[in-house]
mmCIF file of all heavy atoms in Angstrom:
data_model
loop_
_atom_site.group_PDB
_atom_site.id
_atom_site.type_symbol
_atom_site.label_atom_id
_atom_site.label_comp_id
_atom_site.label_asym_id
_atom_site.label_seq_id
_atom_site.Cartn_x
_atom_site.Cartn_y
_atom_site.Cartn_z
ATOM 1 N N TYR B 480 14.266 -29.958 25.126
ATOM 2 C CA TYR B 480 14.659 -30.934 24.113
ATOM 3 C C TYR B 480 15.988 -31.559 24.511
ATOM 4 O O TYR B 480 16.634 -31.165 25.476
ATOM 5 C CB TYR B 480 14.786 -30.264 22.749
ATOM 6 C CG TYR B 480 13.494 -29.711 22.234
ATOM 7 C CD1 TYR B 480 13.061 -28.460 22.630
ATOM 8 C CD2 TYR B 480 12.701 -30.456 21.373
ATOM 9 C CE1 TYR B 480 11.867 -27.952 22.175
ATOM 10 C CE2 TYR B 480 11.496 -29.950 20.914
ATOM 11 C CZ TYR B 480 11.090 -28.694 21.316
ATOM 12 O OH TYR B 480 9.905 -28.194 20.856
ATOM 13 N N GLY B 481 16.435 -32.493 23.724
ATOM 14 C CA GLY B 481 17.719 -33.139 23.961
ATOM 15 C C GLY B 481 17.727 -34.473 23.256
ATOM 16 O O GLY B 481 16.735 -35.212 23.309
ATOM 17 N N GLY B 482 18.809 -34.729 22.535
ATOM 18 C CA GLY B 482 18.942 -36.033 21.888
ATOM 19 C C GLY B 482 17.935 -36.329 20.804
ATOM 20 O O GLY B 482 17.657 -37.492 20.519
ATOM 21 N N VAL B 483 17.408 -35.310 20.177
ATOM 22 C CA VAL B 483 16.420 -35.537 19.123
ATOM 23 C C VAL B 483 17.017 -36.358 17.979
ATOM 24 O O VAL B 483 16.338 -37.156 17.340
ATOM 25 C CB VAL B 483 15.890 -34.187 18.600
ATOM 26 C CG1 VAL B 483 15.023 -34.374 17.361
ATOM 27 C CG2 VAL B 483 15.099 -33.481 19.683
ATOM 28 N N GLN B 484 18.330 -36.156 17.793
ATOM 29 C CA GLN B 484 19.040 -36.848 16.729
ATOM 30 C C GLN B 484 18.786 -38.349 16.722
ATOM 31 O O GLN B 484 18.652 -38.962 15.676
ATOM 32 C CB GLN B 484 20.527 -36.599 16.950
ATOM 33 C CG GLN B 484 21.367 -36.734 15.732
ATOM 34 C CD GLN B 484 22.809 -36.406 16.076
ATOM 35 O OE1 GLN B 484 23.201 -36.408 17.235
ATOM 36 N NE2 GLN B 484 23.584 -36.105 15.067
ATOM 37 N N LYS B 485 18.715 -38.933 17.925
ATOM 38 C CA LYS B 485 18.591 -40.387 17.990
ATOM 39 C C LYS B 485 17.189 -40.853 17.647
ATOM 40 O O LYS B 485 17.010 -41.887 17.022
ATOM 41 C CB LYS B 485 18.967 -40.871 19.392
ATOM 42 C CG LYS B 485 20.459 -40.753 19.604
ATOM 43 C CD LYS B 485 20.844 -41.171 21.022
ATOM 44 C CE LYS B 485 22.154 -40.518 21.391
ATOM 45 N NZ LYS B 485 22.016 -39.596 22.515
ATOM 46 N N VAL B 486 16.189 -40.100 18.061
ATOM 47 C CA VAL B 486 14.822 -40.557 17.795
ATOM 48 C C VAL B 486 14.305 -40.105 16.438
ATOM 49 O O VAL B 486 13.477 -40.756 15.823
ATOM 50 C CB VAL B 486 13.853 -40.090 18.895
ATOM 51 C CG1 VAL B 486 14.043 -40.930 20.134
ATOM 52 C CG2 VAL B 486 14.028 -38.624 19.197
ATOM 53 N N ALA B 487 14.773 -38.932 15.980
ATOM 54 C CA ALA B 487 14.263 -38.427 14.705
ATOM 55 C C ALA B 487 15.440 -37.916 13.882
ATOM 56 O O ALA B 487 15.666 -36.716 13.779
ATOM 57 C CB ALA B 487 13.255 -37.307 14.940
ATOM 58 N N PRO B 488 16.194 -38.842 13.300
ATOM 59 C CA PRO B 488 17.442 -38.438 12.640
ATOM 60 C C PRO B 488 17.238 -37.497 11.459
ATOM 61 O O PRO B 488 18.021 -36.572 11.275
ATOM 62 C CB PRO B 488 18.063 -39.761 12.197
ATOM 63 C CG PRO B 488 16.957 -40.755 12.265
ATOM 64 C CD PRO B 488 15.995 -40.281 13.279
ATOM 65 N N ILE B 489 16.204 -37.711 10.697
ATOM 66 C CA ILE B 489 16.039 -36.849 9.514
ATOM 67 C C ILE B 489 15.698 -35.433 9.950
ATOM 68 O O ILE B 489 16.246 -34.446 9.459
ATOM 69 C CB ILE B 489 14.940 -37.402 8.589
ATOM 70 C CG1 ILE B 489 15.263 -38.845 8.211
ATOM 71 C CG2 ILE B 489 14.825 -36.539 7.342
ATOM 72 C CD1 ILE B 489 14.237 -39.465 7.314
ATOM 73 N N LEU B 490 14.813 -35.348 10.924
ATOM 74 C CA LEU B 490 14.430 -34.047 11.460
ATOM 75 C C LEU B 490 15.673 -33.317 11.955
ATOM 76 O O LEU B 490 15.921 -32.151 11.615
ATOM 77 C CB LEU B 490 13.423 -34.250 12.603
ATOM 78 C CG LEU B 490 12.918 -33.020 13.341
ATOM 79 C CD1 LEU B 490 12.235 -32.077 12.373
ATOM 80 C CD2 LEU B 490 11.948 -33.423 14.432
ATOM 81 N N ALA B 491 16.478 -34.026 12.757
ATOM 82 C CA ALA B 491 17.667 -33.386 13.306
ATOM 83 C C ALA B 491 18.652 -33.031 12.207
ATOM 84 O O ALA B 491 19.279 -31.971 12.236
ATOM 85 C CB ALA B 491 18.312 -34.304 14.333
ATOM 86 N N GLY B 492 18.773 -33.925 11.221
ATOM 87 C CA GLY B 492 19.719 -33.664 10.145
ATOM 88 C C GLY B 492 19.347 -32.430 9.346
ATOM 89 O O GLY B 492 20.197 -31.572 9.071
ATOM 90 N N THR B 493 18.072 -32.327 9.005
ATOM 91 C CA THR B 493 17.668 -31.143 8.254
ATOM 92 C C THR B 493 17.829 -29.886 9.106
ATOM 93 O O THR B 493 18.194 -28.824 8.602
ATOM 94 C CB THR B 493 16.204 -31.264 7.800
ATOM 95 O OG1 THR B 493 15.418 -31.592 8.937
ATOM 96 C CG2 THR B 493 16.034 -32.310 6.742
ATOM 97 N N PHE B 494 17.581 -30.030 10.381
ATOM 98 C CA PHE B 494 17.758 -28.904 11.294
ATOM 99 C C PHE B 494 19.216 -28.449 11.250
ATOM 100 O O PHE B 494 19.503 -27.249 11.199
ATOM 101 C CB PHE B 494 17.370 -29.355 12.711
ATOM 102 C CG PHE B 494 17.241 -28.238 13.711
ATOM 103 C CD1 PHE B 494 16.664 -27.030 13.369
ATOM 104 C CD2 PHE B 494 17.687 -28.404 15.017
ATOM 105 C CE1 PHE B 494 16.533 -26.006 14.300
ATOM 106 C CE2 PHE B 494 17.560 -27.391 15.950
ATOM 107 C CZ PHE B 494 16.986 -26.190 15.587
ATOM 108 N N LEU B 495 20.119 -29.421 11.235
ATOM 109 C CA LEU B 495 21.543 -29.074 11.206
ATOM 110 C C LEU B 495 21.903 -28.348 9.907
ATOM 111 O O LEU B 495 22.567 -27.308 9.929
ATOM 112 C CB LEU B 495 22.402 -30.332 11.358
ATOM 113 C CG LEU B 495 23.912 -30.075 11.374
ATOM 114 C CD1 LEU B 495 24.281 -29.218 12.569
ATOM 115 C CD2 LEU B 495 24.697 -31.383 11.410
ATOM 116 N N VAL B 496 21.420 -28.875 8.785
ATOM 117 C CA VAL B 496 21.761 -28.237 7.506
ATOM 118 C C VAL B 496 21.204 -26.820 7.458
ATOM 119 O O VAL B 496 21.902 -25.867 7.075
ATOM 120 C CB VAL B 496 21.228 -29.070 6.327
ATOM 121 C CG1 VAL B 496 21.546 -28.369 5.017
ATOM 122 C CG2 VAL B 496 21.828 -30.453 6.348
ATOM 123 N N ALA B 497 19.944 -26.674 7.872
ATOM 124 C CA ALA B 497 19.358 -25.337 7.869
ATOM 125 C C ALA B 497 20.144 -24.419 8.787
ATOM 126 O O ALA B 497 20.410 -23.257 8.463
ATOM 127 C CB ALA B 497 17.901 -25.412 8.317
ATOM 128 N N GLY B 498 20.543 -24.963 9.938
ATOM 129 C CA GLY B 498 21.324 -24.167 10.873
ATOM 130 C C GLY B 498 22.653 -23.754 10.279
ATOM 131 O O GLY B 498 23.057 -22.596 10.380
ATOM 132 N N LEU B 499 23.299 -24.699 9.620
ATOM 133 C CA LEU B 499 24.601 -24.381 9.020
ATOM 134 C C LEU B 499 24.464 -23.298 7.962
ATOM 135 O O LEU B 499 25.337 -22.441 7.812
ATOM 136 C CB LEU B 499 25.221 -25.639 8.413
ATOM 137 C CG LEU B 499 25.656 -26.674 9.453
ATOM 138 C CD1 LEU B 499 26.197 -27.919 8.765
ATOM 139 C CD2 LEU B 499 26.692 -26.106 10.402
ATOM 140 N N SER B 500 23.339 -23.317 7.247
ATOM 141 C CA SER B 500 23.150 -22.238 6.274
ATOM 142 C C SER B 500 22.942 -20.927 7.015
ATOM 143 O O SER B 500 23.328 -19.866 6.532
ATOM 144 C CB SER B 500 21.981 -22.539 5.349
ATOM 145 O OG SER B 500 20.783 -22.129 5.937
ATOM 146 N N GLY B 501 22.365 -21.010 8.212
ATOM 147 C CA GLY B 501 22.208 -19.798 9.001
ATOM 148 C C GLY B 501 23.535 -19.233 9.453
ATOM 149 O O GLY B 501 23.661 -18.032 9.651
ATOM 150 N N LEU B 502 24.530 -20.095 9.660
ATOM 151 C CA LEU B 502 25.828 -19.565 10.061
ATOM 152 C C LEU B 502 26.757 -19.415 8.868
ATOM 153 O O LEU B 502 27.954 -19.222 9.009
ATOM 154 C CB LEU B 502 26.459 -20.414 11.173
ATOM 155 C CG LEU B 502 26.831 -21.871 10.921
ATOM 156 C CD1 LEU B 502 28.143 -21.973 10.163
ATOM 157 C CD2 LEU B 502 26.986 -22.589 12.255
ATOM 158 N N SER B 503 26.196 -19.512 7.657
ATOM 159 C CA SER B 503 26.938 -19.220 6.432
ATOM 160 C C SER B 503 28.106 -20.154 6.219
ATOM 161 O O SER B 503 29.240 -19.729 6.020
ATOM 162 C CB SER B 503 27.453 -17.778 6.437
ATOM 163 O OG SER B 503 26.412 -16.908 6.636
ATOM 164 N N LEU B 504 27.847 -21.430 6.266
ATOM 165 C CA LEU B 504 28.896 -22.396 5.958
ATOM 166 C C LEU B 504 29.186 -22.353 4.455
ATOM 167 O O LEU B 504 28.263 -22.334 3.652
ATOM 168 C CB LEU B 504 28.421 -23.795 6.341
ATOM 169 C CG LEU B 504 29.485 -24.878 6.252
ATOM 170 C CD1 LEU B 504 30.395 -24.808 7.464
ATOM 171 C CD2 LEU B 504 28.835 -26.246 6.152
ATOM 172 N N PRO B 505 30.449 -22.315 4.071
ATOM 173 C CA PRO B 505 30.744 -22.329 2.633
ATOM 174 C C PRO B 505 30.117 -23.553 1.980
ATOM 175 O O PRO B 505 30.116 -24.641 2.556
ATOM 176 C CB PRO B 505 32.270 -22.407 2.602
ATOM 177 C CG PRO B 505 32.709 -21.812 3.883
ATOM 178 C CD PRO B 505 31.646 -22.135 4.881
ATOM 179 N N GLY B 506 29.607 -23.339 0.792
ATOM 180 C CA GLY B 506 28.896 -24.421 0.122
ATOM 181 C C GLY B 506 27.401 -24.273 0.267
ATOM 182 O O GLY B 506 26.640 -24.859 -0.475
ATOM 183 N N LEU B 507 26.990 -23.492 1.222
ATOM 184 C CA LEU B 507 25.559 -23.209 1.348
ATOM 185 C C LEU B 507 25.334 -21.750 0.929
ATOM 186 O O LEU B 507 26.245 -20.913 1.011
ATOM 187 C CB LEU B 507 25.086 -23.442 2.779
ATOM 188 C CG LEU B 507 25.286 -24.889 3.245
ATOM 189 C CD1 LEU B 507 24.862 -25.056 4.686
ATOM 190 C CD2 LEU B 507 24.508 -25.854 2.357
#
Side-chain angles (χ1 to χ4, degrees):
Chain B
Y480 296 84
V483 171
Q484 203 178 18
K485 288 177 204 117
V486 284
I489 304 180
L490 178 59
T493 51
F494 192 40
L495 181 63
V496 178
L499 291 177
S500 85
L502 63 79
S503 305
L504 188 78
L507 299 177

